[in-house]
Amino acid sequence: MVKYIASQIGRFALLLLAVAVVTFALVSLSPVDPLQANVGQAALLGMSEEKRAALAAWWGADTPMHERFIAWAGGLLQGDMGTSLRYNAPVADVIASRAANSLVLMAAAWVVSGMLGFALGVAAALNEGRLIDRFVKGYCFVLAASPTFWVGLLLLMVFSVWLGWFPLGFSVPVGVAAADVTFADALHHMALPAITLSVVGVANVALHTRAKALDVLAIDYVRFARARGEGRGQAMVRHGLRNLALPALTLQCAQIAEIFGGSVLVEEVFSYPGLGQAAVTAGLGGDVALLAGIALVSAALVFAGNLAANLIYGLVDPRMRPVRKLARATAAVGVPSAGATFGPSASPEASAVETTPPIPPASDERTPR
């Protein structure tokens, strides 16, 4: 277990390092001029050369990328994520103020898409070739090919503009003080963005679950259960759902990255103040400190999702536990596990002695005919 934890920590550190380097490199190669993007073309032309140089030094526009990265990484190791030049506030404060909205939005979409996709996939498999199966497949194929922002615009136009069931955007009512915002208000503003992320994320889970469910229904022990008189649904519930749990968990935990990427577009469409909207603002303004901080947070979320999947595997199937897998790998190469003994003499030499009983010599007597 100690080796497993150490390997996961090492992988996590390498992942954060790679994300930080790639983020700084992309921002440095971007054609966005931080001065022009944040000050404005007209204001920049009216400035003196001395003021332009001072602003360039403040924004780090003339500093080489590796020097900025080293300075930022040194501050990060001390707990300082830098200062957001776009919001004129510490990066940690900007992320903390917007993380709650994004995490609640993504968590709701993740849970709803996973449960609904799993249920639709199982229902389609149990009714293969029928109307329900054709409806689920058509629904999934259409949504799998639909961009997230287009679905968001469509839902916004129908349910907010035409029907007026949901607000046009933002996370709280306009003109209401933060102290007067109720939980119902926040839930009402979050509902349509969460629905957008959920209906788009259902497609992959439902199609994958349907394919796996059809494979499970064709297994011999399920067919034997059907031969004993169990119905198709009863056989799936008693013998098939456990086999569908592992692949469904794998796909659902892998969808965390897709949901975070979709939340960036959804938050822009609905003007929802979250990490996605802050990332777009930082990218358009060349705010590398804020963009790198958000990239690290998103990488941590994706890594946590994959790690959670590995740990949940052990609860569903004990054979998938990390300690057991490590013990099997150790035994496969012939290395004794910790605490193992080598027989009565407790020595490796004694364990190498052949313990198979000797084969008796062949008799010379012929079998009588």
Side-chain angles (χ1 to χ4, degrees):
M1 179 60 74
V2 176
K3 291 183 178 179
Y4 177 77
I5 295 175
S7 65
Q8 294 299 316
I9 293 175
R11 290 175 57 189
F12 181 62
L14 291 177
L15 174 64
L16 294 185
L17 178 61
V19 169
V21 171
V22 171
T23 302
F24 267 80
L26 291 178
V27 174
S28 300
L29 297 175
S30 173
V32 175
D33 184 7
L35 298 180
Q36 182 177 349
N38 296 278
V39 177
Q41 182 68 25
L44 189 63
L45 293 175
M47 290 182 183
S48 61
E49 293 295 335
E50 293 79 8
K51 195 166 185 178
R52 289 184 188 178
L55 283 176
W58 171 251
W59 282 86
D62 299 334
T63 306
M65 190 270 290
H66 66 278
E67 295 182 5
R68 285 185 293 163
F69 178 77
I70 292 174
W72 176 83
L76 182 63
L77 294 177
Q78 298 177 2
D80 182 14
M81 301 182 70
T83 302
S84 173
L85 302 177
R86 187 77 174 187
Y87 292 93
N88 195 23
V91 171
D93 295 343
V94 176
I95 293 177
S97 64
R98 292 173 172 263
N101 291 336
S102 291
L103 291 179
V104 172
L105 175 63
M106 289 187 292
W110 186 76
V111 172
V112 172
S113 63
M115 297 178 62
L116 185 60
F118 187 80
L120 289 178
V122 173
L126 292 177
N127 298 274
E128 184 183 7
R130 300 179 182 176
L131 180 61
I132 296 178
D133 185 26
R134 293 196 296 269
F135 172 77
V136 171
K137 288 192 298 182
Y139 166 80
C140 294
F141 290 150
V142 170
L143 287 181
S146 301
T148 306
F149 71 91
W150 181 82
V151 176
L153 289 173
L154 185 63
L155 295 179
L156 184 66
M157 182 174 58
V158 173
F159 294 102
S160 295
V161 177
W162 291 353
L163 299 178
W165 293 354
F166 297 99
L168 290 174
F170 306 106
S171 61
V172 294
V174 179
V176 178
D180 298 333
V181 177
T182 62
F183 177 75
D185 294 333
L187 188 63
H188 190 210
H189 281 73
M190 187 194 69
L192 199 56
I195 292 173
T196 304
L197 282 177
S198 300
V199 297
V200 175
V202 161
N204 292 332
V205 179
L207 291 176
H208 187 270
T209 303
R210 177 187 178 276
K212 292 297 181 182
L214 290 177
D215 294 339
V216 169
L217 289 174
I219 297 178
D220 292 340
Y221 62 80
V222 176
R223 297 172 62 186
F224 178 72
R226 294 288 310 280
R228 290 188 305 174
E230 295 186 8
R232 192 177 178 91
Q234 185 180 6
M236 172 62 72
V237 172
R238 296 186 60 183
H239 308 288
L241 291 183
R242 187 168 186 140
N243 292 329
L244 295 177
L246 288 180
L249 284 173
T250 302
L251 187 62
Q252 186 64 11
C253 292
Q255 278 209 144
I256 293 179
E258 296 182 7
I259 290 179
F260 185 86
S263 68
V264 176
L265 301 175
V266 169
E267 289 176 7
E268 280 294 307
V269 171
F270 292 93
S271 299
Y272 196 80
L275 291 178
Q277 192 182 54
V280 174
T281 303
L284 295 177
D287 193 350
V288 62
L290 179 58
L291 192 60
I294 296 176
L296 293 182
V297 171
S298 62
L301 288 176
V302 175
F303 183 85
N306 294 331
L307 181 60
N310 293 334
L311 297 179
I312 295 174
Y313 286 168
L315 299 177
V316 178
D317 189 352
R319 296 173 300 176
M320 300 295 293
R321 292 176 182 173
V323 177
R324 291 179 179 269
K325 291 193 293 185
L326 182 61
R328 289 198 300 267
T330 304
V333 297
V335 180
S337 59
T341 58
F342 295 96
S345 61
S347 63
E349 291 79 5
S351 65
V353 178
E354 181 66 43
T355 58
T356 305
I359 300 177
S363 176
D364 293 332
E365 299 180 0
R366 300 179 180 270
T367 303
R369 296 182 180 272

